Amino acid sequence: MSPDPHFEAHFNMLYTFYSVPNVILPFFGGSYTDRLGGAICFLLFACLTLGGQFLFTLGIQLKSWAVMILGRTVYGLGGENICVAQSSLLAQWFVGKESAFSMGLAVSISRVGSVLNNMISPVMANRYGTSSAAWVGVLMNSIGVCSAVVLLTVDNRVRARLSEANRAQDLLTASLLEDQYVGEASAEWAGHVEEGSEDQEGDEV
C-alpha cells in the first residue's frame, strides 16, 4: 500500500488533466491548422508535447504532483492536436488511394509506438528508476521536434517550387492566350482589308 493516501487520486488526475481538455481543444487545433498550415502547427504542437514531457519528468524528480499535473496539461495541449496537424499534412501530400493508405500507416505506426512504450517503459523504470524512463520520453519527444523542423523545411521548399511552377504556368497560359488573341485580331483585320479591296474594285468596275 502506498504511503500517500491520495496517490490514486493524484495518479488519475494525470490522465484527467490530459484527456478532459482534449474534448474541446482539437476544434481549436483544427482552426489554427487551417490558418497557419499543417507543418507549422505540427512543429508547434510537437514543442508543446516536449515541454509537457519535460515538466512531467521534472515533477517526478522533484516528487511534486503539481509540477507533474502541469506537465501533463501542457502535454495535452499538443498531444491530440498534433494528430489534427498530421491528418492535414497527409491530406495535402497524398491524394486518392494514397491518402487512405498514408493515414492508415500513420495510425499503425502510432499504435506500434504505444505498444513499445508499454513494453519498454516498465522495464526501464524497474531497472533504472521512474525518472530515467521519463527522461527517455523527453529524448523521444526531442527527436519528434527535430523531425518536425525537417518536415517544415521540406514543406516550405516544396511549396516554393510549386509556387514557381504555378507562376510559370500562368505566364505560359497568358502568353498563349495573348498570341491567340493577336492571331484572331490579325485574321479579322486581314478580312476587313480584303473586303475593302473587293468593294473598291467593284466601284471601279
Side-chain angles (χ1 to χ4, degrees):
M1 183 176 181
S2 173
D4 183 1
H6 304 292
F7 175 81
E8 292 186 1
H10 289 152
F11 187 81
N12 289 328
M13 287 177 66
L14 295 176
Y15 292 92
T16 301
F17 275 81
Y18 171 86
S19 301
V20 172
N22 278 296
V23 176
I24 302 174
L25 285 177
F27 291 100
F28 298 99
S31 177
Y32 281 113
T33 300
D34 291 335
R35 294 179 183 179
L36 303 178
I40 295 178
C41 288
F42 192 88
L43 175 59
L44 173 62
F45 298 143
C47 290
L48 287 173
T49 57
L50 174 59
Q53 181 65 25
F54 177 81
L55 288 173
F56 176 72
T57 304
L58 185 63
I60 292 176
Q61 288 199 324
L62 297 176
K63 297 182 180 181
S64 171
W65 284 108
V67 178
M68 284 189 281
I69 291 173
L70 176 61
R72 290 292 292 176
T73 303
V74 175
Y75 191 92
L77 295 176
E80 299 300 326
N81 284 326
I82 199 171
C83 296
V84 177
Q86 172 186 279
S87 299
S88 175
L89 284 170
L90 292 176
Q92 293 174 8
W93 280 65
F94 300 94
V95 294
K97 295 181 179 179
E98 294 178 351
S99 178
F101 176 76
S102 64
M103 291 184 180
L105 183 61
V107 172
S108 297
I109 293 175
S110 66
R111 295 300 176 267
V112 169
S114 299
V115 171
L116 291 176
N117 175 68
N118 292 335
M119 293 175 60
I120 296 174
S121 293
V123 175
M124 293 196 63
N126 291 330
R127 181 171 298 183
Y128 304 106
T130 304
S131 60
S132 298
W135 279 115
V136 173
V138 174
L139 175 62
M140 298 304 296
N141 278 275
S142 299
I143 295 174
V145 171
C146 294
S147 300
V149 171
V150 173
L151 175 63
L152 178 61
T153 303
V154 172
D155 186 73
N156 287 338
R157 290 183 179 179
V158 171
R159 287 180 179 274
R161 291 180 180 178
L162 289 176
S163 179
E164 292 177 0
N166 291 335
R167 190 181 301 110
Q169 184 176 3
D170 291 340
L171 292 175
L172 178 60
T173 302
S175 178
L176 292 175
L177 291 175
E178 184 179 357
D179 292 342
Q180 181 180 3
Y181 174 77
V182 171
E184 291 176 354
S186 299
E188 184 178 357
W189 180 78
H192 287 305
V193 171
E194 185 177 354
E195 289 177 1
S197 300
E198 292 177 356
D199 292 340
Q200 186 176 3
E201 290 178 357
D203 293 338
E204 292 178 354
V205 172

